[in-house]
Amino acid sequence: MSIGWLIFIAVVLIIIVLFQVTRTLDLVSQLRGNDDEREEHNSKVNGIALFIFMVLGVYAYFWCFGHFKNSNLPPASEHGYLIEDMILWTLIVCSIVFIICNILLFTFSLIYRYKKGRETVHFAHSNKLEFIWTIIPTIVLTGLVIFGLQAWTKIMSMPDEDTFTVEVTGQQFFWTTRYPGADGKLGARDYNLICPDNPLGIITKEFVEHRINLLQGNAKLDVKGEIKVLEERKEILPGLIDSIQQLIEMRQNRYRSEDLKDELDELEDELDDIDSHIITRVKNLDRINTIYTPEYFVSHQDEITWGYDDFMPSEMHVPVNEEVLLKIQALDVLHNFYIVHMKVKMDAVPGMPTFFKFTPITTTAEMREVYSKNPLWQQPKEGDETKTPKWKNFQYEIACAELCGTGHSAMKYILVVDTEAEYEEWVTTQKPAWNNVVGNLKIEGLSELAPKLKSVEPVATDSINLVTDTSTIASKGN
Amino acid sequence: MSLETTVHEHQHVETHVHGHEHHDEHHHKETFITKYIFSQDHKTISKQFLITGIIWAVIGGLLSVLFRIQLGFPDANIMWLKPLLGKWITAEGQLAPEFYNALITMHGTILVFFVLTAGLSGTFANYLIPLMCGARDMASGFLNMLSYWFFFLSSIVMGISFFLATGPASGGWTAYPPLNDLHQAATGSIAGVDYWLVSMALFIVSVLLGGLNYVTTVINMRTKGMKMFRLPLPVWALLLTAVIGILSFPVLLSAAVLMLFDRNLDTSFYLDQIYIGGEALANSGGSPILYQHLFWFLGHPEVYIIILPAMGIVSEVLAVHSRKPIFGYTAMIYSLLAITVLSFIVWAHHMFMTGMNPFIGSIFVIFTLIIAVPSAVKVFNWITTLWKGNIRLNPQMLFAIGFVSMFISGGVTGIFLGNSAIDVELHDTYFIVAHFHLVMGVAAFFGMFAGIYHWFPKMFGRFMNPTLGFIHFWGTIICAYLIFFPMHFEYMLPRRYPTHAGFETFGMFGELNQFISVFAFISFACQLIFVFNFFYSIWYGRKARELNPWGATTLEWTTPLRPKHGNWPGEIPEVHRWAYDYSKHGRDFIPQTEPLSQYEIEHGEHGDEGDSAIIQKEKKDDH
Ligand code: HEM
Ligand SMILES: [Cu+2]
Ligand SMILES: [Cu+2]
């Protein structure tokens, strides 16, 4: 019990009181005047009210533009100005229509409100009028379409091949960007190779090997799983089947002896689930084995070597006034890469890269200047001990604009627009992602990788840390 | 007091129905069950749709109150809701984020499908089509009854999903894959989505059964003299609504079935190269975008399924209560037809930002902005209908006028969105939320309210309390504008966020969100006034004593005060003119059943020049 309920009770009471009052009023009015008088009275009151409502509404309409002007976004990209222009023109056209139509609507309601014996006309139809108001919107809309499509084509046209490209990947619930490194080329990727050490699935021999090890190790750890589907996998997962069988029997016996029906059912469900996870992994292994034949590494040498120097920074940096092409991807569900001030917005779709190009024209530092004059950015951030005004810490923020699950609103990422010099310097501080992981990979016999791929043998699991992977399984088991 | 005991005139339902399937029904003694539950009377089925719709509207509205608490008062402690919501309230007394998503998903689904589709066109198509066409019932009363019960089943399934341990679907009312396709992608996707899909499948069966019936009835069962171009506009609107539904809902069914396959049979219609929860899935070759095409091929027509009935109702109410013919009757019909056709070729305007080919996007821009033309024509015609009328500003008329205003306000923002370049900035933000709530949500509700206040005396033999109606109207329109107009200024705020607190850029709307939430609560309370008024008036409202209280020309007002199954006790009346002879020849109105007088030209087709001449002639004749 608290204010919530109190409000609820108050509302109910108000409704009851209102009702009693109105009922009495209605009864009184029915006793008094005749239908016509009542109708006239109601129409007058409501007609005047409609008119006042309209006048206040039109006033509020313009008032809002002033009131909210500080929360508008200063555009920071080249095409942002195109969009601003379009919005402005459309706003002008639409405001005229909106205001005129509403004024007529509410004014007519007042002027022609019910009066006994008022003359009405039987005006059913006029070719001329109807022609006019079909043609005018058509012309105006045609103008807007032409204007709009020009902008659209410009925004969406694909830039030259050698445009500076940054790869963006969305997943629950964060963004990763990947830069091409010194060679200017992004290495190839494969979702089959993704693992905690290789979050984007960059293809290198070592990562292929590593993934295989992980998968086998995983499969071995999933000893709780079911059997039948795995029968045929005996060669690649020896020993697995027996232990699963034992485990299941143990648990089943216990549940039976204690007559725990629910638990028995649950066990069944759990087995189904674990089963499907094992199949997923086995299939993953299969695909890797099919794709990464020794010939593959020969014929794809270039794409693979490009990958070694790619880097994945914790913030996205771009130089000002240079066109950037975003190659946008998603790993799991749809996301949408939304750089708020840049007016960049494009879905990230699993299995289908999308593209968006933009040219930032305001550096982060310049934008701080802009915001230093904005009253909404003068306060310090809540809980900020140093009391720095917000504009001093302004950052271009990147959000997700396509519902992607529980953490949708938490997919914040930062874009920093540097000057050319700042950017160059920043690049030199970035380490290739490969550097960070290569030490973690405990792989023997890299050189013999190729032959091993065809006949995989189980690898001792203790050399690989599987905590992340198994914990996800456990959490999904419920 | 039951409905029946209040009937005063015990008319005899004729037992002999000419050439009609319902032939023998009237011989049977009606029990409570056949009369109120498994009734095949279109009027009863209509009321079933309406009341179910109202119940769902209250639930859907309540959900929005819950998430508006979260949005407006993110720091409020809502522990007091724990008894109701259980584990969806976190230990800190906050709404769990996955529950927020479930709330908006269910809110959208319920209002779009259960309230504004079933509750609106289910109610009025059932009620008005036979009565306005002059038919004893729908073409098939039995299928019509099934239509309601499929809807009922569908809503039960959706209702059950609220009580799942893992909660109802939480991936948005559009249910995009892979979020909704993969069990591991969201809590609501574990089981809730299956319920959502099954419920939608049942719902689609209901829409199709109903729709086929409506179309057949309008085409085949009009009374003598009721030419298509004499039909009142609600019938036209409801007919075209049914046509849109029949053509588009099956596509949603296929989308839903494919998703059920993906979810339960391991197919990959919508999946390709997915890495989720630490696993690379085997699915390959599908496309999440395919689903969006299928969904919006229904989804866009769906918004017209929602708005057309409201347009029809409003056209009728505006004409009757301004005592004038609807302006541009033929243009109104052609614009409905144009909207019907165009609504099928604009769907991809919801998908400009999916990485679709920009050239294809351009084509959809063109069609989308073309569809604004017939919409504009309708608006101008409605406004002209008011001009020089004698406007009775009763609740139904106020809601009709409010509808036009809302439709204008929400329609102009469509012009922004239809231009794909602008949509880059506005897609999936609160601007969209404002757009469709004004143009579809609020407008369609206004149309529905106008219809309910207008036909209530016919439906229940009593009037709703007009003073409560006025309060309801003013509360609703003021709140609706205060909620949704300022929301346009949040045009950079992404939608479907339980909180924007993580972002500095979005930090300036705390006050506005609070403002919006407060008016959302008030507006919900105003709807309770309506609900109360509705149910109270069914039993205790002022009794209707005249057959035709509004002085309308259409056929439904020629039936007895409380029509029985079969609608007219005697012969079905014959129709001699269109439905909008108001203020003609110096008469307030001329019912459709009245034959044309000797020199009379039908419905102003040939301009009004002849009109005064005719009156002169008639006057001479009288002498
Ligand atoms: C003037 C004509 C209209 C145009 C040009 C128009 C245009 C658009 C566009 C382009 C979008 C997609 C925006 C986006 O997601 O980025 C949209 C969204 C929407 N429109 Fe309209 N619209 C118009 C009228 C209507 C009408 C009459 C209705 C309903 C009766 C309606 C209901 C909706 C809904 C429900 C959505 C949002 C769906 C969602 O994403 O959840 N629109 N409109
Ligand atoms: Cu997201
Ligand atoms: Cu649409």
PDB file of all heavy atoms in Angstrom, chain A residues 188-204 207-212 214 284 288 292, chain B residues 275 280:
ATOM      1  N   ALA A 188      39.780 -11.113 -43.457  1.00  0.00           N
ATOM      2  CA  ALA A 188      38.507 -11.819 -43.601  1.00  0.00           C
ATOM      3  C   ALA A 188      37.994 -12.305 -42.246  1.00  0.00           C
ATOM      4  O   ALA A 188      38.759 -12.433 -41.295  1.00  0.00           O
ATOM      5  CB  ALA A 188      38.695 -13.000 -44.536  1.00  0.00           C
ATOM      6  N   ARG A 189      36.683 -12.529 -42.167  1.00  0.00           N
ATOM      7  CA  ARG A 189      36.046 -12.950 -40.923  1.00  0.00           C
ATOM      8  C   ARG A 189      35.159 -14.150 -41.168  1.00  0.00           C
ATOM      9  O   ARG A 189      34.628 -14.332 -42.253  1.00  0.00           O
ATOM     10  CB  ARG A 189      35.124 -11.838 -40.407  1.00  0.00           C
ATOM     11  CG  ARG A 189      35.780 -10.754 -39.678  1.00  0.00           C
ATOM     12  CD  ARG A 189      34.768  -9.681 -39.397  1.00  0.00           C
ATOM     13  NE  ARG A 189      33.663 -10.153 -38.569  1.00  0.00           N
ATOM     14  CZ  ARG A 189      32.764  -9.347 -38.035  1.00  0.00           C
ATOM     15  NH1 ARG A 189      32.836  -8.041 -38.228  1.00  0.00           N
ATOM     16  NH2 ARG A 189      31.797  -9.826 -37.294  1.00  0.00           N
ATOM     17  N   ASP A 190      34.958 -14.910 -40.143  1.00  0.00           N
ATOM     18  CA  ASP A 190      34.005 -16.010 -40.236  1.00  0.00           C
ATOM     19  C   ASP A 190      33.362 -16.196 -38.874  1.00  0.00           C
ATOM     20  O   ASP A 190      34.053 -16.362 -37.873  1.00  0.00           O
ATOM     21  CB  ASP A 190      34.729 -17.287 -40.654  1.00  0.00           C
ATOM     22  CG  ASP A 190      33.780 -18.474 -40.720  1.00  0.00           C
ATOM     23  OD1 ASP A 190      32.571 -18.290 -40.442  1.00  0.00           O
ATOM     24  OD2 ASP A 190      34.251 -19.576 -41.046  1.00  0.00           O
ATOM     25  N   TYR A 191      32.054 -16.181 -38.843  1.00  0.00           N
ATOM     26  CA  TYR A 191      31.375 -16.289 -37.545  1.00  0.00           C
ATOM     27  C   TYR A 191      31.644 -17.625 -36.884  1.00  0.00           C
ATOM     28  O   TYR A 191      31.502 -17.755 -35.664  1.00  0.00           O
ATOM     29  CB  TYR A 191      29.884 -16.011 -37.707  1.00  0.00           C
ATOM     30  CG  TYR A 191      29.057 -17.202 -38.133  1.00  0.00           C
ATOM     31  CD1 TYR A 191      28.155 -17.790 -37.257  1.00  0.00           C
ATOM     32  CD2 TYR A 191      29.185 -17.741 -39.406  1.00  0.00           C
ATOM     33  CE1 TYR A 191      27.392 -18.879 -37.634  1.00  0.00           C
ATOM     34  CE2 TYR A 191      28.430 -18.833 -39.795  1.00  0.00           C
ATOM     35  CZ  TYR A 191      27.534 -19.395 -38.899  1.00  0.00           C
ATOM     36  OH  TYR A 191      26.806 -20.475 -39.276  1.00  0.00           O
ATOM     37  N   ASN A 192      32.044 -18.614 -37.670  1.00  0.00           N
ATOM     38  CA  ASN A 192      32.327 -19.923 -37.095  1.00  0.00           C
ATOM     39  C   ASN A 192      33.518 -19.898 -36.151  1.00  0.00           C
ATOM     40  O   ASN A 192      33.686 -20.794 -35.337  1.00  0.00           O
ATOM     41  CB  ASN A 192      32.632 -20.918 -38.207  1.00  0.00           C
ATOM     42  CG  ASN A 192      31.375 -21.333 -38.919  1.00  0.00           C
ATOM     43  OD1 ASN A 192      30.406 -21.744 -38.291  1.00  0.00           O
ATOM     44  ND2 ASN A 192      31.367 -21.192 -40.237  1.00  0.00           N
ATOM     45  N   LEU A 193      34.361 -18.885 -36.308  1.00  0.00           N
ATOM     46  CA  LEU A 193      35.607 -18.862 -35.535  1.00  0.00           C
ATOM     47  C   LEU A 193      35.502 -17.980 -34.295  1.00  0.00           C
ATOM     48  O   LEU A 193      36.478 -17.804 -33.569  1.00  0.00           O
ATOM     49  CB  LEU A 193      36.746 -18.350 -36.422  1.00  0.00           C
ATOM     50  CG  LEU A 193      36.995 -19.168 -37.689  1.00  0.00           C
ATOM     51  CD1 LEU A 193      38.137 -18.573 -38.478  1.00  0.00           C
ATOM     52  CD2 LEU A 193      37.286 -20.618 -37.332  1.00  0.00           C
ATOM     53  N   ILE A 194      34.340 -17.399 -34.085  1.00  0.00           N
ATOM     54  CA  ILE A 194      34.229 -16.467 -32.969  1.00  0.00           C
ATOM     55  C   ILE A 194      34.387 -17.190 -31.632  1.00  0.00           C
ATOM     56  O   ILE A 194      33.824 -18.269 -31.415  1.00  0.00           O
ATOM     57  CB  ILE A 194      32.869 -15.747 -33.013  1.00  0.00           C
ATOM     58  CG1 ILE A 194      32.788 -14.914 -34.294  1.00  0.00           C
ATOM     59  CG2 ILE A 194      32.693 -14.860 -31.780  1.00  0.00           C
ATOM     60  CD1 ILE A 194      31.467 -14.256 -34.498  1.00  0.00           C
ATOM     61  N   CYS A 195      35.169 -16.607 -30.770  1.00  0.00           N
ATOM     62  CA  CYS A 195      35.326 -17.129 -29.416  1.00  0.00           C
ATOM     63  C   CYS A 195      35.816 -15.961 -28.571  1.00  0.00           C
ATOM     64  O   CYS A 195      36.124 -14.901 -29.115  1.00  0.00           O
ATOM     65  CB  CYS A 195      36.316 -18.295 -29.399  1.00  0.00           C
ATOM     66  SG  CYS A 195      37.965 -17.791 -29.858  1.00  0.00           S
ATOM     67  N   PRO A 196      35.882 -16.113 -27.267  1.00  0.00           N
ATOM     68  CA  PRO A 196      36.269 -14.965 -26.451  1.00  0.00           C
ATOM     69  C   PRO A 196      37.596 -14.357 -26.873  1.00  0.00           C
ATOM     70  O   PRO A 196      37.791 -13.150 -26.759  1.00  0.00           O
ATOM     71  CB  PRO A 196      36.367 -15.551 -25.047  1.00  0.00           C
ATOM     72  CG  PRO A 196      35.440 -16.712 -25.064  1.00  0.00           C
ATOM     73  CD  PRO A 196      35.500 -17.263 -26.444  1.00  0.00           C
ATOM     74  N   ASP A 197      38.496 -15.150 -27.370  1.00  0.00           N
ATOM     75  CA  ASP A 197      39.781 -14.607 -27.783  1.00  0.00           C
ATOM     76  C   ASP A 197      39.738 -13.961 -29.155  1.00  0.00           C
ATOM     77  O   ASP A 197      40.644 -13.228 -29.529  1.00  0.00           O
ATOM     78  CB  ASP A 197      40.834 -15.723 -27.814  1.00  0.00           C
ATOM     79  CG  ASP A 197      41.120 -16.234 -26.419  1.00  0.00           C
ATOM     80  OD1 ASP A 197      41.195 -15.389 -25.509  1.00  0.00           O
ATOM     81  OD2 ASP A 197      41.208 -17.459 -26.248  1.00  0.00           O
ATOM     82  N   ASN A 198      38.716 -14.248 -29.899  1.00  0.00           N
ATOM     83  CA  ASN A 198      38.633 -13.757 -31.271  1.00  0.00           C
ATOM     84  C   ASN A 198      37.205 -13.277 -31.504  1.00  0.00           C
ATOM     85  O   ASN A 198      36.431 -13.897 -32.224  1.00  0.00           O
ATOM     86  CB  ASN A 198      39.001 -14.906 -32.226  1.00  0.00           C
ATOM     87  CG  ASN A 198      39.021 -14.449 -33.673  1.00  0.00           C
ATOM     88  OD1 ASN A 198      39.023 -13.252 -33.965  1.00  0.00           O
ATOM     89  ND2 ASN A 198      39.008 -15.409 -34.586  1.00  0.00           N
ATOM     90  N   PRO A 199      36.849 -12.168 -30.868  1.00  0.00           N
ATOM     91  CA  PRO A 199      35.423 -11.809 -30.773  1.00  0.00           C
ATOM     92  C   PRO A 199      34.782 -11.524 -32.118  1.00  0.00           C
ATOM     93  O   PRO A 199      33.563 -11.518 -32.215  1.00  0.00           O
ATOM     94  CB  PRO A 199      35.436 -10.550 -29.898  1.00  0.00           C
ATOM     95  CG  PRO A 199      36.825 -10.045 -29.921  1.00  0.00           C
ATOM     96  CD  PRO A 199      37.710 -11.218 -30.170  1.00  0.00           C
ATOM     97  N   LEU A 200      35.548 -11.239 -33.157  1.00  0.00           N
ATOM     98  CA  LEU A 200      34.922 -10.989 -34.446  1.00  0.00           C
ATOM     99  C   LEU A 200      35.114 -12.148 -35.419  1.00  0.00           C
ATOM    100  O   LEU A 200      34.637 -12.115 -36.538  1.00  0.00           O
ATOM    101  CB  LEU A 200      35.481  -9.708 -35.066  1.00  0.00           C
ATOM    102  CG  LEU A 200      35.185  -8.427 -34.280  1.00  0.00           C
ATOM    103  CD1 LEU A 200      35.760  -7.231 -34.997  1.00  0.00           C
ATOM    104  CD2 LEU A 200      33.698  -8.248 -34.062  1.00  0.00           C
ATOM    105  N   GLY A 201      35.834 -13.162 -34.989  1.00  0.00           N
ATOM    106  CA  GLY A 201      36.035 -14.313 -35.872  1.00  0.00           C
ATOM    107  C   GLY A 201      36.979 -14.027 -37.025  1.00  0.00           C
ATOM    108  O   GLY A 201      36.747 -14.458 -38.155  1.00  0.00           O
ATOM    109  N   ILE A 202      38.057 -13.304 -36.732  1.00  0.00           N
ATOM    110  CA  ILE A 202      39.048 -13.053 -37.783  1.00  0.00           C
ATOM    111  C   ILE A 202      39.689 -14.375 -38.173  1.00  0.00           C
ATOM    112  O   ILE A 202      39.972 -15.225 -37.320  1.00  0.00           O
ATOM    113  CB  ILE A 202      40.119 -12.063 -37.268  1.00  0.00           C
ATOM    114  CG1 ILE A 202      39.461 -10.710 -37.002  1.00  0.00           C
ATOM    115  CG2 ILE A 202      41.249 -11.921 -38.269  1.00  0.00           C
ATOM    116  CD1 ILE A 202      40.385  -9.699 -36.369  1.00  0.00           C
ATOM    117  N   ILE A 203      39.909 -14.547 -39.455  1.00  0.00           N
ATOM    118  CA  ILE A 203      40.439 -15.819 -39.929  1.00  0.00           C
ATOM    119  C   ILE A 203      41.964 -15.773 -39.966  1.00  0.00           C
ATOM    120  O   ILE A 203      42.551 -15.001 -40.722  1.00  0.00           O
ATOM    121  CB  ILE A 203      39.927 -16.146 -41.339  1.00  0.00           C
ATOM    122  CG1 ILE A 203      38.395 -16.077 -41.374  1.00  0.00           C
ATOM    123  CG2 ILE A 203      40.422 -17.514 -41.780  1.00  0.00           C
ATOM    124  CD1 ILE A 203      37.814 -16.267 -42.745  1.00  0.00           C
ATOM    125  N   THR A 204      42.567 -16.569 -39.099  1.00  0.00           N
ATOM    126  CA  THR A 204      44.001 -16.838 -39.237  1.00  0.00           C
ATOM    127  C   THR A 204      44.154 -18.318 -38.926  1.00  0.00           C
ATOM    128  O   THR A 204      43.270 -18.919 -38.292  1.00  0.00           O
ATOM    129  CB  THR A 204      44.858 -16.045 -38.243  1.00  0.00           C
ATOM    130  OG1 THR A 204      44.603 -16.556 -36.925  1.00  0.00           O
ATOM    131  CG2 THR A 204      44.562 -14.563 -38.271  1.00  0.00           C
ATOM    132  N   PHE A 207      43.827 -18.968 -35.230  1.00  0.00           N
ATOM    133  CA  PHE A 207      42.465 -18.866 -34.695  1.00  0.00           C
ATOM    134  C   PHE A 207      41.619 -20.070 -35.089  1.00  0.00           C
ATOM    135  O   PHE A 207      40.768 -20.520 -34.323  1.00  0.00           O
ATOM    136  CB  PHE A 207      41.793 -17.580 -35.179  1.00  0.00           C
ATOM    137  CG  PHE A 207      42.155 -16.371 -34.353  1.00  0.00           C
ATOM    138  CD1 PHE A 207      42.335 -15.132 -34.940  1.00  0.00           C
ATOM    139  CD2 PHE A 207      42.288 -16.468 -32.973  1.00  0.00           C
ATOM    140  CE1 PHE A 207      42.652 -14.015 -34.186  1.00  0.00           C
ATOM    141  CE2 PHE A 207      42.613 -15.356 -32.208  1.00  0.00           C
ATOM    142  CZ  PHE A 207      42.787 -14.136 -32.811  1.00  0.00           C
ATOM    143  N   VAL A 208      41.852 -20.581 -36.270  1.00  0.00           N
ATOM    144  CA  VAL A 208      41.120 -21.776 -36.678  1.00  0.00           C
ATOM    145  C   VAL A 208      41.452 -22.923 -35.734  1.00  0.00           C
ATOM    146  O   VAL A 208      40.572 -23.580 -35.170  1.00  0.00           O
ATOM    147  CB  VAL A 208      41.466 -22.157 -38.133  1.00  0.00           C
ATOM    148  CG1 VAL A 208      40.859 -23.503 -38.481  1.00  0.00           C
ATOM    149  CG2 VAL A 208      40.978 -21.076 -39.092  1.00  0.00           C
ATOM    150  N   GLU A 209      42.734 -23.097 -35.526  1.00  0.00           N
ATOM    151  CA  GLU A 209      43.184 -24.153 -34.617  1.00  0.00           C
ATOM    152  C   GLU A 209      42.604 -23.966 -33.217  1.00  0.00           C
ATOM    153  O   GLU A 209      42.080 -24.891 -32.603  1.00  0.00           O
ATOM    154  CB  GLU A 209      44.721 -24.099 -34.568  1.00  0.00           C
ATOM    155  CG  GLU A 209      45.332 -24.908 -33.451  1.00  0.00           C
ATOM    156  CD  GLU A 209      45.632 -26.325 -33.896  1.00  0.00           C
ATOM    157  OE1 GLU A 209      45.102 -26.760 -34.939  1.00  0.00           O
ATOM    158  OE2 GLU A 209      46.383 -26.995 -33.204  1.00  0.00           O
ATOM    159  N   HIS A 210      42.670 -22.749 -32.762  1.00  0.00           N
ATOM    160  CA  HIS A 210      42.196 -22.430 -31.426  1.00  0.00           C
ATOM    161  C   HIS A 210      40.713 -22.747 -31.271  1.00  0.00           C
ATOM    162  O   HIS A 210      40.278 -23.350 -30.287  1.00  0.00           O
ATOM    163  CB  HIS A 210      42.433 -20.937 -31.171  1.00  0.00           C
ATOM    164  CG  HIS A 210      42.022 -20.484 -29.818  1.00  0.00           C
ATOM    165  ND1 HIS A 210      42.406 -21.115 -28.666  1.00  0.00           N
ATOM    166  CD2 HIS A 210      41.242 -19.437 -29.433  1.00  0.00           C
ATOM    167  CE1 HIS A 210      41.891 -20.492 -27.618  1.00  0.00           C
ATOM    168  NE2 HIS A 210      41.174 -19.469 -28.054  1.00  0.00           N
ATOM    169  N   ARG A 211      39.970 -22.389 -32.280  1.00  0.00           N
ATOM    170  CA  ARG A 211      38.525 -22.621 -32.220  1.00  0.00           C
ATOM    171  C   ARG A 211      38.233 -24.122 -32.199  1.00  0.00           C
ATOM    172  O   ARG A 211      37.360 -24.584 -31.475  1.00  0.00           O
ATOM    173  CB  ARG A 211      37.856 -21.950 -33.422  1.00  0.00           C
ATOM    174  CG  ARG A 211      36.338 -22.048 -33.413  1.00  0.00           C
ATOM    175  CD  ARG A 211      35.752 -21.287 -32.246  1.00  0.00           C
ATOM    176  NE  ARG A 211      34.304 -21.414 -32.174  1.00  0.00           N
ATOM    177  CZ  ARG A 211      33.621 -21.465 -31.040  1.00  0.00           C
ATOM    178  NH1 ARG A 211      34.254 -21.403 -29.883  1.00  0.00           N
ATOM    179  NH2 ARG A 211      32.321 -21.579 -31.033  1.00  0.00           N
ATOM    180  N   ILE A 212      38.986 -24.840 -32.993  1.00  0.00           N
ATOM    181  CA  ILE A 212      38.770 -26.293 -33.010  1.00  0.00           C
ATOM    182  C   ILE A 212      39.030 -26.875 -31.625  1.00  0.00           C
ATOM    183  O   ILE A 212      38.233 -27.655 -31.097  1.00  0.00           O
ATOM    184  CB  ILE A 212      39.682 -26.959 -34.056  1.00  0.00           C
ATOM    185  CG1 ILE A 212      39.199 -26.579 -35.454  1.00  0.00           C
ATOM    186  CG2 ILE A 212      39.706 -28.456 -33.885  1.00  0.00           C
ATOM    187  CD1 ILE A 212      40.123 -27.011 -36.559  1.00  0.00           C
ATOM    188  N   LEU A 214      38.871 -25.382 -28.793  1.00  0.00           N
ATOM    189  CA  LEU A 214      37.820 -24.981 -27.870  1.00  0.00           C
ATOM    190  C   LEU A 214      36.593 -25.839 -28.036  1.00  0.00           C
ATOM    191  O   LEU A 214      36.000 -26.320 -27.076  1.00  0.00           O
ATOM    192  CB  LEU A 214      37.436 -23.525 -28.133  1.00  0.00           C
ATOM    193  CG  LEU A 214      38.299 -22.454 -27.507  1.00  0.00           C
ATOM    194  CD1 LEU A 214      37.778 -21.098 -27.911  1.00  0.00           C
ATOM    195  CD2 LEU A 214      38.277 -22.597 -25.996  1.00  0.00           C
ATOM    196  N   ASN A 284      29.331 -26.865 -35.744  1.00  0.00           N
ATOM    197  CA  ASN A 284      30.287 -25.772 -35.907  1.00  0.00           C
ATOM    198  C   ASN A 284      31.654 -26.358 -36.285  1.00  0.00           C
ATOM    199  O   ASN A 284      32.320 -25.911 -37.215  1.00  0.00           O
ATOM    200  CB  ASN A 284      30.354 -24.995 -34.594  1.00  0.00           C
ATOM    201  CG  ASN A 284      31.115 -23.696 -34.714  1.00  0.00           C
ATOM    202  OD1 ASN A 284      31.680 -23.419 -35.747  1.00  0.00           O
ATOM    203  ND2 ASN A 284      31.140 -22.912 -33.662  1.00  0.00           N
ATOM    204  N   ILE A 288      33.817 -25.873 -39.771  1.00  0.00           N
ATOM    205  CA  ILE A 288      35.207 -25.419 -39.788  1.00  0.00           C
ATOM    206  C   ILE A 288      36.064 -26.418 -40.550  1.00  0.00           C
ATOM    207  O   ILE A 288      36.884 -26.049 -41.390  1.00  0.00           O
ATOM    208  CB  ILE A 288      35.729 -25.230 -38.344  1.00  0.00           C
ATOM    209  CG1 ILE A 288      34.960 -24.098 -37.685  1.00  0.00           C
ATOM    210  CG2 ILE A 288      37.214 -24.948 -38.344  1.00  0.00           C
ATOM    211  CD1 ILE A 288      35.337 -23.850 -36.255  1.00  0.00           C
ATOM    212  N   TYR A 292      38.018 -25.006 -43.805  1.00  0.00           N
ATOM    213  CA  TYR A 292      39.450 -24.698 -43.661  1.00  0.00           C
ATOM    214  C   TYR A 292      40.328 -25.876 -44.005  1.00  0.00           C
ATOM    215  O   TYR A 292      41.012 -26.451 -43.162  1.00  0.00           O
ATOM    216  CB  TYR A 292      39.721 -24.145 -42.267  1.00  0.00           C
ATOM    217  CG  TYR A 292      38.931 -22.880 -42.069  1.00  0.00           C
ATOM    218  CD1 TYR A 292      37.778 -22.862 -41.298  1.00  0.00           C
ATOM    219  CD2 TYR A 292      39.309 -21.718 -42.736  1.00  0.00           C
ATOM    220  CE1 TYR A 292      37.018 -21.716 -41.173  1.00  0.00           C
ATOM    221  CE2 TYR A 292      38.553 -20.566 -42.606  1.00  0.00           C
ATOM    222  CZ  TYR A 292      37.419 -20.574 -41.829  1.00  0.00           C
ATOM    223  OH  TYR A 292      36.674 -19.439 -41.731  1.00  0.00           O
TER     224      TYR A 292
ATOM    225  N   TYR B 275      25.874 -15.753 -34.369  1.00  0.00           N
ATOM    226  CA  TYR B 275      26.696 -16.149 -33.221  1.00  0.00           C
ATOM    227  C   TYR B 275      26.037 -15.559 -31.991  1.00  0.00           C
ATOM    228  O   TYR B 275      25.970 -14.342 -31.833  1.00  0.00           O
ATOM    229  CB  TYR B 275      28.117 -15.618 -33.371  1.00  0.00           C
ATOM    230  CG  TYR B 275      28.991 -15.963 -32.184  1.00  0.00           C
ATOM    231  CD1 TYR B 275      29.670 -17.180 -32.132  1.00  0.00           C
ATOM    232  CD2 TYR B 275      29.109 -15.099 -31.106  1.00  0.00           C
ATOM    233  CE1 TYR B 275      30.447 -17.526 -31.043  1.00  0.00           C
ATOM    234  CE2 TYR B 275      29.872 -15.435 -30.001  1.00  0.00           C
ATOM    235  CZ  TYR B 275      30.550 -16.650 -29.986  1.00  0.00           C
ATOM    236  OH  TYR B 275      31.305 -16.979 -28.895  1.00  0.00           O
ATOM    237  N   ALA B 280      28.142 -20.550 -32.370  1.00  0.00           N
ATOM    238  CA  ALA B 280      27.866 -20.227 -33.765  1.00  0.00           C
ATOM    239  C   ALA B 280      26.791 -21.190 -34.237  1.00  0.00           C
ATOM    240  O   ALA B 280      26.999 -22.401 -34.241  1.00  0.00           O
ATOM    241  CB  ALA B 280      29.124 -20.363 -34.601  1.00  0.00           C
TER     242      ALA B 280
END
